Amino acid sequence: MLYCFYHQQIFLRERLKIDRFRNIFSNTIHMCEPALSLPRKSAFYIPGHKEDFSDSFSRQMKARLTLILLLNILLASCAAGLRKNSEEPFFRVTIKDPSDQIVIETAEQGIIIDVTSPNGIGSAKFELTSGTMPAEIIIRLHLKGLEEFRLVSPQTTIAASIPSGVFKNSDQRIISPDGEAPISMLHPMWLDINAVTSQTEPTIPLEEGFFEIKVPKTFISKTGDSFEIQWIDFYR
């Protein structure tokens, strides 16, 4: 079952940008209208007073130059926005269990993948269809426990599990065609996993909250255009 997320959010955000630029442009035109519509011989008619033609012409030129400058700024902003949007990632997401929900949100440095899994077991494959792979990927799993989590790329698999009891750390290992090997926090493929909860001392199973997993930058740089996540909650 295929889910394409994220496009609607981008469309709405760009629509807001266009509306904002339109409002700025309209306000600018409105402010400049009096000066732009001044008659050539006089900006303001005062009985018995002769105004210097050069003053009127000077005001008109200043107003026009101001308008041209603002238009150039707006065009430059639009162009920068288009360049940025061309690099924003779009993913095709394939999930195994139709009851699972995957939401991709934009963050300052990358994306956040929010996973809700009613059955506590599932997988999701992410394929980059346009843009570039984000520099940072955060995964949020709304589960009570983590019997096993796997981050899979075409080259390698990182597996992690968290024992029940007071949350301290996770056991992690690398799985490759050559076999399996445990890894430590110093390994470039180590998954930074935290329990986000209001509990002073998080305990597994979590009463509320979620697991937050930061994908290693080494994994992102090597995975290419696709990756997969798999999860099992032993309290499902």
Side-chain angles (χ1 to χ4, degrees):
M1 187 173 183
L2 298 179
Y3 284 77
C4 294
F5 301 91
Y6 199 34
H7 296 75
Q8 186 176 8
Q9 297 176 2
I10 296 296
F11 173 79
L12 292 175
R13 186 167 65 247
E14 293 311 308
R15 180 63 181 271
L16 289 174
K17 286 182 181 178
I18 293 172
D19 291 341
R20 186 168 65 249
F21 288 145
R22 185 185 294 117
N23 291 335
I24 293 173
F25 180 74
S26 298
N27 292 335
T28 303
I29 293 293
H30 179 71
M31 288 186 296
C32 293
E33 273 180 349
L36 292 173
S37 60
L38 289 173
R40 282 189 171 273
K41 292 186 177 180
S42 178
F44 303 97
Y45 175 71
I46 302 176
H49 173 71
K50 282 188 174 181
E51 184 176 20
D52 190 352
F53 170 75
S54 62
D55 291 341
S56 175
F57 181 76
S58 176
R59 278 196 295 273
Q60 292 182 40
M61 290 303 298
K62 287 180 179 178
R64 289 173 180 173
L65 290 174
T66 301
L67 180 58
I68 292 171
L69 178 61
L70 288 173
L71 287 175
N72 286 333
I73 294 174
L74 290 176
L75 289 173
S77 299
C78 290
L82 290 173
R83 285 195 299 271
K84 181 181 178 181
N85 291 336
S86 66
E87 298 176 356
E88 289 184 350
F90 289 84
F91 291 94
R92 179 170 60 247
V93 183
T94 307
I95 58 176
K96 186 176 182 180
D97 188 340
S99 66
D100 292 337
Q101 294 184 359
I102 308 291
V103 177
I104 301 177
E105 303 175 3
T106 56
E108 186 177 352
Q109 300 296 329
I111 61 171
I112 298 173
I113 300 173
D114 195 86
V115 180
T116 303
S117 180
N119 295 324
I121 182 171
S123 66
K125 185 175 181 180
F126 300 83
E127 298 174 274
L128 188 69
T129 57
S130 65
T132 57
M133 191 65 73
E136 182 176 276
I137 300 175
I138 302 293
I139 301 168
R140 292 175 177 172
L141 296 172
H142 294 264
L143 304 172
K144 293 182 178 179
L146 207 56
E147 181 177 339
E148 186 171 77
F149 170 80
R150 290 193 176 194
L151 181 62
V152 184
S153 76
Q155 298 82 21
T156 188
T157 297
I158 311 171
S161 59
I162 299 176
S164 58
V166 177
F167 176 79
K168 292 182 179 179
N169 217 325
S170 58
D171 299 321
Q172 300 187 24
R173 63 190 189 279
I174 289 286
I175 304 173
S176 66
D178 298 330
E180 297 186 15
I183 59 174
S184 68
M185 296 178 65
L186 300 178
H187 197 281
M189 287 289 194
W190 177 265
L191 297 172
D192 185 8
I193 304 178
N194 291 296
V196 181
T197 173
S198 61
Q199 296 174 278
T200 305
E201 192 173 47
T203 303
I204 310 301
L206 293 178
E207 296 179 1
E208 51 83 28
F210 53 87
F211 295 100
E212 185 171 272
I213 303 171
K214 185 175 182 180
V215 177
K217 292 187 180 297
T218 303
F219 180 91
I220 296 174
S221 64
K222 293 182 178 181
T223 191
D225 294 335
S226 67
F227 64 94
E228 184 177 352
I229 59 174
Q230 304 168 359
W231 62 87
I232 302 176
D233 182 351
F234 43 56
Y235 293 100
R236 61 189 184 278

